[in-house]
Amino acid sequence: AGTLKALETQAGLMERQVVVLESQAKSTQQTADAAAASVEIARQSLIITQRAFFTFVKYQVLTMFSEANNKGDLLFFRIIVKYENVGKTPAIEAEMILGLEKINKGDSEDFALRPWDQREGPRIPSSVAPGVKVVGAVEIDIEEANKIASGELSVFLWTQAEYHDVFPGTPIYRSGTCVKVFKVADFRAGNPFQFKLHSAKFNHGD
């Protein structure tokens, strides 16, 4: 009887040890999970605060004349678009493309841009360091400008950028703008056009 009691006691002790070990293993796993979560939070925080952010910063209109000093005949208008990496690290394989969508009076202005890979323009990816600007340009001729003024033609200037940052495993980022061009001053004025945001689906930034 004494031997049986001893064996029962020993079995009970072993069961309690198993419970303790299971509890320790669970606690160790929870600690490891918490550490992994902490590392991931720190990584995400680092990316958010230090990532590249390649985005639109400015439009500029140049009126081109046939003679120097803004004299002679009006030739055309050149619209300069500037993007900048306003982030903390380089934008890798960055590209910025732009264009004009021209719609005659009476036609729907609810247009769709072609997919990124099918759009016209040079595809020259490059690394853009923080604070560096990338410039593109489009032109509106005098006939088109007169039609904008009369309301016969609606012109939309769109831009899009695509890039990724230096941190492994992060996605491709995209940003873009789309504005409608309005005549607001004499064509010989310094800036005869105004730009109004058109459609939220084109104006975004990752």
Side-chain angles (χ1 to χ4, degrees):
T3 302
L4 180 60
K5 177 110 176 134
L7 289 172
E8 289 175 347
T9 302
Q10 186 176 10
L13 289 172
M14 291 178 67
E15 287 177 358
R16 286 196 291 274
Q17 286 177 341
V18 168
V19 170
V20 169
L21 289 172
E22 288 177 346
S23 177
Q24 289 176 339
K26 184 176 180 181
S27 177
T28 300
Q29 184 61 50
Q30 289 175 337
T31 301
D33 290 344
S38 178
V39 168
E40 180 59 21
I41 291 171
R43 177 180 176 274
Q44 292 298 328
S45 178
L46 175 66
I47 292 172
I48 290 170
T49 58
Q50 300 298 316
R51 57 162 280 197
F53 197 79
F54 187 50
T55 186
F56 162 81
V57 291
K58 186 179 181 180
Y59 298 117
Q60 181 182 1
V61 179
L62 302 178
T63 304
M64 312 304 290
F65 294 87
S66 60
E67 300 178 17
N69 301 317
N70 296 341
K71 294 181 179 180
D73 297 330
L74 286 170
L75 298 178
F76 58 89
F77 301 93
R78 179 171 292 144
I79 302 176
I80 308 296
V81 178
K82 295 182 180 180
Y83 264 64
E84 181 180 351
N85 180 4
V86 297
K88 300 291 184 63
T89 50
I92 308 300
E93 294 184 354
E95 298 180 75
M96 187 270 282
I97 56 177
L98 70 163
L100 296 173
E101 191 75 21
K102 302 170 185 178
I103 299 175
N104 291 319
K105 183 178 180 180
D107 293 340
S108 173
E109 294 184 354
D110 186 22
F111 59 90
L113 298 178
R114 282 177 291 173
W116 175 269
D117 291 335
Q118 296 177 17
R119 296 187 188 174
E120 297 177 358
R123 302 294 303 276
I124 309 174
S126 59
S127 294
V128 181
V132 172
K133 293 182 176 65
V134 175
V135 177
V138 292
E139 294 178 356
I140 295 175
D141 63 34
I142 299 303
E143 180 181 358
E144 291 170 336
N146 285 326
K147 287 183 177 181
I148 291 172
S150 68
E152 296 177 65
L153 184 69
S154 294
V155 174
F156 301 87
L157 168 59
W158 59 264
T159 71
Q160 187 167 339
E162 183 175 282
Y163 62 101
H164 60 88
D165 60 33
V166 296
F167 299 102
T170 50
I172 294 174
Y173 299 111
R174 292 183 176 89
S175 62
T177 64
C178 184
V179 293
K180 187 173 183 178
V181 181
F182 292 91
K183 177 181 181 288
V184 294
D186 184 88
F187 283 146
R188 290 182 176 271
N191 189 359
F193 296 117
Q194 187 177 69
F195 306 100
K196 182 179 179 180
L197 290 179
H198 175 74
S199 181
K201 67 182 178 181
F202 299 135
N203 293 281
H204 60 91
D206 292 343

